[in-house]
Amino acid sequence: MTMIDHDAALKAVENSLDRPSAARVYDYFIGGDTHYAIDRNFAEKVRERLPLMGDYCKTSRQFLGRAVRHCAGLGIRQFVDIGSGLPTAGNVHEVADEARPQEDTHVLYIDNEPIALAHSTLLLADTADPERHHAIAADLFDPEDLWERVMDSGIIDVREPVALVVNAVMHFIKDEQDPDGLLDFYRDRLAPGSLLVLSQMTNENPANEDEKQALLDLLKYYETTTNPGFLRTMDEFRRFFGGWPLLEPGLVYAPAWHPDEKTIFAANPSESRVIGGIARKP
């Protein structure tokens, strides 16, 4: 299992401050505390163009929490979170343990960005059970290696159902990077009864020409970060579920997916710019 030790983690953080980190920008927008001036300055530039960007990020995080809670309620006890980013409030393992007080859930966080993994190493120690929760280094774009590390982790039994979480990640994968082939690989490896949790930002039905242009500007801004972006409509995104049956209510704007009293944009889900859903492997 590939881990980063504490000293290496600190060095990775120190060496990552030459440009904004998409993971730290997201952390800033959702109210976390793992970010630096270069990230905050970039985030505020984005907010000037898209004033609700912070709420879009919070919508993604809220969807993750509701999705994990739902999966746990359906009896899923294993979670693989690819592109997990920075540990912050409402981590997968915290939500899963809350949903299953018997604390029988196992969570594997995976990220290829050294800065995200470094922060995970530094921060998970406060809340994680080392017998059930780990953060490992692996790359979504190297699926054979990633899945081998999952199997070698000692945390996940791939013969049993898993909730594979790819939350707020697909908008950082352009079509020329073959997201279809990547997700085909991961879906094939999952046991029957597994769940696939997907979400991303969307350019579906912009409210007006200004919002349409603002979303294009957003992509230009993110070209200067560690993770350039790519937006999709619902029809363009639906294919990533591979034809698996979607749990109700299907692929929807994220705030319309089992909203609770805390859900931002619950009254007007389409304003959220975030879509998501969960599918079950037959």
Side-chain angles (χ1 to χ4, degrees):
M1 182 162 51
T2 301
M3 301 291 288
I4 291 182
D5 65 35
H6 190 272
D7 290 341
L10 288 173
K11 186 173 180 61
V13 173
E14 292 168 0
N15 291 340
S16 71
L17 301 179
D18 60 331
R19 56 182 173 156
S21 156
R24 292 196 309 257
V25 170
Y26 179 80
D27 179 74
Y28 173 72
F29 274 131
I30 65 176
D33 57 10
T34 310
H35 41 74
Y36 299 91
I38 193 170
D39 309 303
R40 295 188 289 273
N41 292 339
F42 175 82
E44 291 306 326
K45 176 183 175 182
V46 170
R47 201 196 302 270
E48 285 181 16
R49 192 66 185 93
L50 274 173
L52 294 178
M53 187 65 182
D55 286 340
Y56 302 158
C57 292
K58 290 174 184 175
T59 292
S60 292
R61 193 68 182 178
Q62 289 182 342
F63 170 75
L64 173 65
R66 297 196 308 277
V68 169
R69 196 171 297 114
H70 196 83
C71 291
L74 293 174
I76 295 292
R77 295 182 294 108
Q78 302 189 107
F79 295 82
V80 175
D81 186 358
I82 300 181
S84 52
L86 297 168
T88 188
N91 289 300
V92 170
H93 69 278
E94 294 169 326
V95 175
D97 277 356
E98 184 179 301
R100 295 184 63 86
Q102 57 269 53
E103 295 188 352
D104 60 353
T105 55
H106 290 234
V107 179
L108 191 62
Y109 295 102
I110 302 174
D111 210 291
N112 72 319
E113 191 174 354
I115 185 61
L117 188 68
H119 283 298
S120 294
T121 302
L122 296 171
L123 299 178
L124 276 179
D126 292 335
T127 61
D129 176 351
E131 298 297 316
R132 299 185 294 117
H133 312 134
H134 278 291
I136 67 172
D139 192 339
L140 176 106
F141 292 102
D142 189 354
E144 295 275 3
D145 176 72
L146 184 149
W147 204 248
E148 183 175 335
R149 292 175 189 238
V150 170
M151 292 188 295
D152 290 345
S153 68
I155 298 293
I156 301 297
D157 181 354
V158 298
R159 299 168 297 181
E160 297 295 326
V162 170
L164 183 66
V165 178
V166 189
N167 183 63
V169 171
M170 299 306 296
H171 48 236
F172 293 123
I173 304 177
K174 299 182 178 182
D175 278 353
E176 55 264 33
Q177 295 173 290
D178 191 26
D180 302 271
L182 291 169
L183 284 175
D184 283 349
F185 177 94
Y186 294 116
R187 288 194 308 268
D188 286 346
R189 285 350 182 241
L190 296 174
S194 292
L195 300 176
L196 178 61
V197 180
L198 296 177
S199 76
Q200 83 153 78
M201 275 195 68
T202 182
N203 53 2
E204 178 95 5
N205 295 326
N208 49 48
E209 284 301 313
D210 183 63
E211 184 179 40
K212 181 178 180 180
Q213 185 59 50
L215 292 170
L216 292 172
D217 292 343
L218 176 69
L219 297 181
K220 292 178 184 176
Y221 292 169
Y222 268 84
E223 288 290 331
T224 68
T225 74
T226 56
N227 299 92
F230 190 87
L231 303 181
R232 295 179 177 89
T233 65
M234 286 208 190
D235 282 345
E236 291 168 337
F237 188 69
R238 189 181 306 274
R239 70 186 196 264
F240 296 140
F241 292 101
W244 290 2
L246 285 156
L247 304 187
E248 291 296 330
L251 174 59
V252 294
Y253 286 102
W257 201 92
H258 298 283
D260 57 27
E261 67 280 359
K262 298 179 182 178
T263 302
I264 303 172
F265 298 114
N268 297 288
S270 65
E271 294 180 4
S272 72
R273 297 288 102 211
V274 181
I275 55 177
I278 300 182
R280 187 194 301 272
K281 185 167 186 174

